[in-house]
Amino acid sequence: MSETSEMKIDPSRAAALASQIKGVSERIAAVGKGRNVRLVAVSKLKPANDILALAQPQESGVEPQLHFGENYAQELAQKAELLPRNIQWHFIGGLQSGHCKNLAKIPNLWCVSSVDTLKKVQLLDRYRGEFISAFTSSSSPAPEKLNIHIQVNTSGEDSKSGCSPGSETVELCRAVEAAPHLHLLGLMTIGAIARSVATTPENENEDFVALREQRDLVARELGLDQEGEGEGGRKLELSMGMSEDFEGAIAMGSDEVRVGSTIFGTRPPRAEAKIKE
C-alpha cells in the first residue's frame, strides 16, 4: 500500500467531491424514505486520487464511500492494485469473456453487474473458484463468492447488452444460483436514453417497470421469497438508475443506483485519462 500513502489528494478537490456525494446521498435519502439504497460512485476515467479522497474518513463526519463502479476491466484492475482493499469494486461495463479470468481474481471485486450469457457465468464461477481455492493453505482470508447482477435488455435496443426478458433471464439466473462460487444478487438494466431523460419520481420509466416485472418472475420461478423470510428466502435486488434518472428509479424500487458525472464531473477522453495523478 506504499503507493496509496504516496498518492496526493488536493484538499480543494477532495472538498468538492465530498460536497457532491453528500448532495447525491441526500437526494437518495429523500426519495428512498428510509430504504437502504446502495450508491455506486462511477469512477471510470477518473484518477485513483479521487477515489481515495472519497474512501477516506470525512472531516464532515459523512461515512466514507466504498462502493465504486468501473466500466473497463483493465482500469479496474489497475486501480484495485493501487487502492485500499476495503474498497468494494463493481464492474459495470460491457463484459467480454476474455475479461472474466482477470476480474474474478481481484480479491475485493464485490459485484459484476453486466452478466448476460451462460458462458460468462461459467467462466466467472470457474476462475473465482480457482482463486478461492488458492487461499486454502494461506493465513489470509479467502475471497468471498462473487456477487452477480444479470443484465436485462429491457428496451430491446440492438445497441444495448443484456439478455432478453422472459425465459432467457430466468434460466441465466438459475445458472448463477447453481454456481458454487457466485451469488445471485439481482437484476440490472441500462434503459433507453430517451426514457431516462423523461424519468421523474412521478413519471414511471418503462424500463424500470420491465425490470421489476422480470425480478418478480425470476423470484417466482426460482422459489425465492421476496420478503426475505422463510427457508432460503431472500430479496433479489433491482440495480437501475444513473445520474439522469436515479430518483425516479428509487421511487420505483431500485436497491442500487450508479452515479458518476454528478459526483466526479465531466470525464476526459479515454486516451487522456490517468490512472493516478
Side-chain angles (χ1 to χ4, degrees):
M1 290 299 169
S2 59
E3 297 212 44
T4 299
S5 61
E6 294 170 7
M7 204 176 294
K8 295 179 181 179
I9 298 175
D10 177 72
S12 61
R13 173 64 173 165
L17 289 169
S19 175
Q20 294 285 62
I21 205 162
K22 182 173 183 287
V24 171
S25 297
E26 288 171 349
R27 289 167 64 187
I28 289 172
V31 184
K33 299 177 180 177
R35 285 199 304 116
N36 185 22
V37 179
R38 184 184 309 112
L39 169 61
V40 178
V42 180
S43 47
K44 71 173 183 179
L45 304 180
K46 291 295 181 177
N49 311 62
D50 281 2
I51 299 169
L52 185 61
L54 288 173
Q56 292 182 337
Q58 305 295 314
E59 290 183 7
S60 62
V62 175
E63 288 291 316
Q65 172 68 27
L66 296 178
H67 288 273
F68 290 91
E70 293 286 342
N71 287 62
Y72 305 115
Q74 184 177 2
E75 182 179 356
L76 191 160
Q78 289 175 305
K79 289 176 177 175
E81 280 288 322
L82 288 172
L83 291 162
R85 285 286 174 87
N86 66 332
I87 288 176
Q88 295 169 299
W89 294 103
H90 297 239
F91 183 75
I92 61 174
L95 181 63
Q96 298 176 18
S97 297
H99 293 154
C100 292
K101 182 175 183 179
N102 289 339
L103 283 172
K105 297 191 176 184
I106 295 172
N108 52 330
L109 179 64
W110 195 81
C111 184
V112 179
S113 286
S114 46
V115 177
D116 57 0
T117 69
L118 178 59
K119 181 180 180 181
K120 293 168 191 175
V121 170
Q122 293 169 335
L123 288 171
L124 287 169
D125 182 54
R126 171 187 167 188
Y127 291 122
R128 192 64 167 189
E130 289 179 1
F131 190 49
I132 292 171
S133 296
F135 283 77
T136 53
S137 59
S138 170
S139 58
S140 301
E144 297 181 349
K145 289 183 177 183
L146 194 53
N147 289 314
I148 300 293
H149 283 139
I150 295 299
Q151 182 172 356
V152 184
N153 185 352
T154 53
S155 64
E157 296 171 283
D158 292 338
S159 60
K160 290 286 194 304
S161 298
C163 57
S164 299
S167 60
E168 188 175 323
T169 294
V170 171
E171 291 312 308
L172 203 51
C173 289
R174 200 185 302 278
V176 175
E177 277 286 276
H181 306 108
L182 305 179
H183 174 251
L184 179 63
L185 198 59
L187 305 182
M188 184 274 274
T189 191
I190 301 173
I193 293 175
R195 293 175 183 172
S196 292
V197 171
T199 299
T200 67
E202 297 78 28
N203 179 26
E204 290 193 340
N205 181 310
E206 293 171 59
D207 291 305
F208 300 162
V209 172
L211 193 70
R212 194 168 59 188
E213 291 172 349
Q214 290 304 298
R215 189 271 310 276
D216 294 345
L217 172 66
V218 169
R220 287 196 304 271
E221 292 295 321
L222 271 59
L224 300 177
D225 178 0
Q226 281 301 279
E227 298 303 318
E229 300 172 352
E231 186 177 348
R234 71 173 194 274
K235 183 179 178 182
L236 290 179
E237 287 187 357
L238 295 172
S239 176
M240 55 191 194
M242 299 185 288
S243 287
E244 301 82 6
D245 57 13
F246 69 85
E247 286 159 309
I250 294 168
M252 294 190 63
S254 182
D255 301 289
E256 174 185 278
V257 295
R258 305 176 298 279
V259 181
S261 56
T262 303
I263 297 169
F264 293 100
T266 305
R267 296 184 183 92
R270 189 175 180 185
E272 298 175 15
K274 298 178 181 178
I275 295 296
K276 180 181 75 166
E277 290 183 338

